[in-house]
Amino acid sequence: MLTKPVSPEDLVAVHAVTKIFPSSRGMSDVHALGPLDLTMRAGEFFAVVGPSGCGKSTLLEIIAGLTRPTNGEVFFNGAAVGDFVPEGIGVIFQEDASFPWLSVRENIAFGLKRKQVDADTTRRRVDDALKLTGLQAFADAYPAQLSGGMRQRVCIARTLVLQPRLILLDEPFGALDQQTRLLMGDEVLRLWRETGATILLITHALDEAAMLSDRVGVMSARPGRFLEIVTTHWPRDRDSKIVTRQEFGDITGHLWALLRDQSIKSIAVSA
Amino acid sequence: MRLRKATRIRLVLIAGMVLALEAACRTGLIRPFTMIPPSEMFVSLLRLFQSPEVLSDIGQTLRAVALSLSGALVVGFLIGALLYAFPRARRIADPLLGTYYSVPVFVFYPLLIVLFGLNSIPKTVIGFLYAFVAMIINTLNGLDRVPPVFWKTAKVQQLGRLATAVHLVLPCAGPYLFTGAKLAVMYSFIGVIGSEFILSSGGLGYRISFSYNNFQSDVMYGLILFVLLVVICINMGLYAWERSLMERRGGR
């Protein structure tokens, strides 16, 4: 397997990645992303913010191995990411990806069963994930009986049982109201601490990025490039109460100062 | 088991109509030559079960329906899946599928007799021709409704093509496939029994037509009742199964 020397602390390395979507029916090519570089340390919580259409989700899909970059390379755990999602990466999408024909327990066990993990280990890991996500009382319920936030927790639990080293979250709380998003943020922080996983969060919510992350990558309008990577300096043991602190306001304000012109540019282009 | 209110009302309505029909026949409002009372239809049906000829006709029809239905389910699903996989082919086929049921397939019956002879094959083929397009259309409907996020989830879960199809796509498209299967059952019955009316030398349709031509009202109505009961029972069974599945899935 192709490997490239990266720092042992770096779990993810993105080198000069660009994405150009080919033209269709007389339209010109769409240069969506890059060139862009990024490294993520093991155990880090990294968020990406940027204007609509700047290529945030494309970046996530490239890191996950769901989309091939036009140029550049991505390394996960020292190995190049190819056409398949590597072992050790979990992805949680904005859309509800819970399977309506399976109960909560069956949903969570889905990946373990496909990997033919033995029944005892499966039961233990599913029970742990149910406990971790607060879904024990709903283990036998079906997604249709749950709220949007609870279904998202089912998807998180389904990802966690596979014990990924890197969790990619693509605007997972986009469909939830503000209070629920804050509480879900607390849960994600708790899961991050307890599992020791590395997290990449794609979001358009500046406050969410400022509250949850160790570092926030601010992207420009299309083609998306990092304008600045902002370090938050939050302690690892944090929760949503930090939104009341002066530094939180400062960070969010700084993110908006970086993004304002880009957002105007993005709106002008789409108009 | 407690019946739902709507079910109770429905049963009362049906029972009321049967009783009204019984009364109309018994009082001479409907002449015996036109229709026999429902109770006599039922007695006639029980009597018909003792006739080896009728049992043979029932067997012929059910065999032809089973064959045409199995073919329609398998071929319809495969063609639907192929059209989904090849969008250009689908663009060509779409108008044909959309207008298919405006073609009276029965007009091909003489041609099928020329091709296959006067046996059970033409009516089986007609049953198949009636049913398989419903399965194609509903397979396409089901596959179209697999959310894009499920395809991505399959990749994240490192599922191969077969595993994605078996564990994700089929259960997700299940309700639509079920609807296709339900329609295919009905169309198969219509195709087969309708064909038997026209030129066949056996089967329920032939037997009903034969009794009609020979003024055997009791046999004719007994068999009509039998066809109605079979189709209603199958449909109700499938409907109940579908409803229990959909309730669990919250309609998704």
Side-chain angles (χ1 to χ4, degrees):
Chain A
M1 188 178 279
L2 180 66
T3 58
K4 181 160 181 161
V6 289
S7 161
E9 287 182 352
D10 290 339
L11 186 70
V12 178
V14 176
H15 291 298
V17 157
T18 60
K19 182 68 183 178
I20 298 168
F21 291 103
S23 60
S24 62
R25 294 192 181 177
M27 306 287 280
S28 54
D29 291 354
V30 177
H31 186 177
L33 189 71
L36 183 145
D37 293 291
L38 169 70
T39 54
M40 285 174 63
R41 296 184 300 275
E44 184 179 22
F45 199 129
F46 192 97
V48 176
V49 293
S52 295
C54 74
K56 300 185 291 285
S57 294
T58 306
L59 173 64
L60 177 139
E61 292 193 1
I62 288 172
I63 292 173
L66 290 168
T67 303
R68 291 284 285 173
T70 309
N71 292 302
E73 284 178 300
V74 175
F75 295 88
F76 169 67
N77 209 18
V81 175
D83 287 326
F84 300 99
V85 180
E87 189 82 38
I89 291 185
V91 187
I92 294 152
F93 301 98
Q94 178 181 1
E95 302 94 331
D96 175 16
S98 60
F99 303 142
W101 60 93
L102 298 178
S103 69
V104 167
R105 181 179 287 281
E106 289 164 338
N107 257 286
I108 297 171
F110 183 84
L112 295 171
K113 281 195 174 163
R114 301 289 84 75
K115 287 180 191 302
Q116 297 181 326
V117 174
D118 66 84
D120 284 345
T121 311
T122 298
R123 197 178 311 110
R124 185 169 41 77
R125 284 207 213 167
V126 170
D127 286 342
D128 288 348
L130 283 167
K131 196 173 163 192
L132 210 59
T133 49
L135 289 167
Q136 296 117 304
F138 302 92
D140 298 317
Y142 282 83
Q145 298 165 290
L146 307 178
S147 67
M150 288 164 88
R151 283 186 216 167
Q152 198 58 286
R153 278 193 270 167
V154 172
C155 297
I156 292 172
R158 194 172 64 198
T159 301
L160 289 179
V161 288
L162 297 171
Q163 301 178 333
R165 293 192 64 197
L166 174 65
I167 301 174
L168 306 173
L169 300 163
D170 189 5
E171 302 193 25
F173 316 132
L176 307 179
D177 62 81
Q178 180 68 16
Q179 293 95 317
T180 312
R181 276 169 52 190
L182 283 169
L183 295 173
M184 287 294 286
D186 279 343
E187 287 195 40
V188 168
L189 282 171
R190 184 171 55 79
L191 295 172
W192 170 62
R193 280 192 299 273
E194 290 181 18
T195 61
T198 306
I199 292 184
L200 173 72
L201 169 73
I202 303 292
T203 179
H204 56 257
L206 304 185
D207 53 347
E208 197 171 273
M211 176 186 117
L212 296 173
S213 319
D214 295 320
R215 290 192 299 156
V216 183
V218 182
M219 283 176 77
S220 66
R222 200 174 67 207
R225 297 183 179 94
F226 282 123
L227 294 170
E228 187 177 322
I229 292 182
V230 178
T231 305
T232 59
H233 300 292
W234 297 129
R236 192 171 170 84
D237 190 12
R238 58 182 179 263
D239 60 27
S240 58
K241 288 185 198 129
I242 59 172
V243 300
T244 59
R245 284 163 63 167
Q246 176 63 43
E247 303 96 294
F248 174 79
D250 293 343
I251 293 166
T252 311
H254 181 58
L255 294 176
W256 179 234
L258 288 166
L259 269 177
R260 191 172 180 278
D261 288 345
Q262 298 298 320
S263 296
I264 292 169
K265 193 175 155 188
S266 171
I267 290 167
V269 168
S270 54
Chain B
M1 191 178 71
R2 237 180 100 78
L3 292 175
R4 290 161 192 249
K5 193 178 176 186
T7 310
R8 285 203 305 268
I9 293 171
R10 199 160 42 231
L11 287 174
V12 168
L13 273 174
I14 292 170
M17 283 191 282
V18 171
L19 286 174
L21 194 61
E22 180 81 24
C25 292
R26 295 276 175 205
T27 55
L29 205 62
I30 297 175
R31 289 181 303 151
F33 189 69
T34 307
M35 183 181 272
I36 60 172
S39 58
E40 281 185 29
M41 290 181 200
F42 186 72
V43 172
S44 166
L45 174 61
L46 293 178
R47 204 170 46 240
L48 287 172
F49 280 132
Q50 289 156 3
S51 156
E53 281 176 337
V54 170
L55 288 178
S56 160
D57 285 326
I58 291 172
Q60 274 189 48
T61 299
L62 293 183
R63 262 195 307 279
V65 168
L67 268 174
S68 61
L69 177 64
S70 324
L73 293 180
V74 173
V75 175
F77 174 76
L78 288 177
I79 293 178
L82 283 172
L83 289 176
Y84 181 80
F86 298 101
R88 192 170 288 177
R90 181 176 179 178
R91 277 197 294 276
I92 296 167
D94 257 346
L96 303 174
L97 295 175
T99 53
Y100 183 83
Y101 283 107
S102 62
V103 177
V105 178
F106 285 116
V107 296
F108 298 115
Y109 198 64
L111 173 70
L112 293 171
I113 287 177
V114 171
L115 288 174
F116 300 110
L118 194 57
N119 52 39
S120 63
I121 298 177
K123 65 182 179 186
T124 308
V125 173
I126 292 273
F128 167 83
L129 289 174
Y130 256 102
F132 88 112
V133 171
M135 195 61 201
I136 295 177
I137 292 169
N138 283 282
T139 301
L140 283 168
N141 262 342
L143 295 177
D144 283 342
R145 278 164 179 76
V146 176
V149 72
F150 281 14
W151 296 105
K152 289 185 195 171
T153 303
K155 285 187 180 178
V156 173
Q157 297 274 348
Q158 298 172 322
L159 301 186
R161 281 187 178 194
L162 184 65
T164 302
V166 172
H167 298 295
L168 224 152
V169 177
L170 282 181
C172 184
Y176 295 92
L177 300 180
F178 207 95
T179 303
K182 232 169 42 175
L183 288 172
V185 170
M186 297 309 124
Y187 283 132
S188 286
F189 267 102
I190 292 170
V192 169
I193 294 179
S195 303
E196 288 170 348
F197 265 96
I198 305 171
L199 274 173
S200 178
S201 55
L204 278 170
Y206 161 78
R207 184 61 58 189
I208 292 170
S209 171
F210 182 85
S211 327
Y212 168 74
N213 289 325
N214 290 283
F215 306 103
Q216 296 171 322
S217 293
D218 55 337
V219 176
M220 184 182 82
Y221 281 112
L223 289 173
I224 290 174
L225 182 63
F226 176 73
V227 172
L228 279 177
L229 288 176
V230 168
V231 173
I232 288 170
C233 285
I234 292 175
N235 216 359
M236 277 175 64
L238 289 172
Y239 177 74
W241 189 11
E242 184 183 32
R243 202 175 58 184
S244 74
L245 286 176
M246 290 306 284
E247 268 177 8
R248 201 169 73 165
R249 294 168 63 133
R252 286 201 299 160

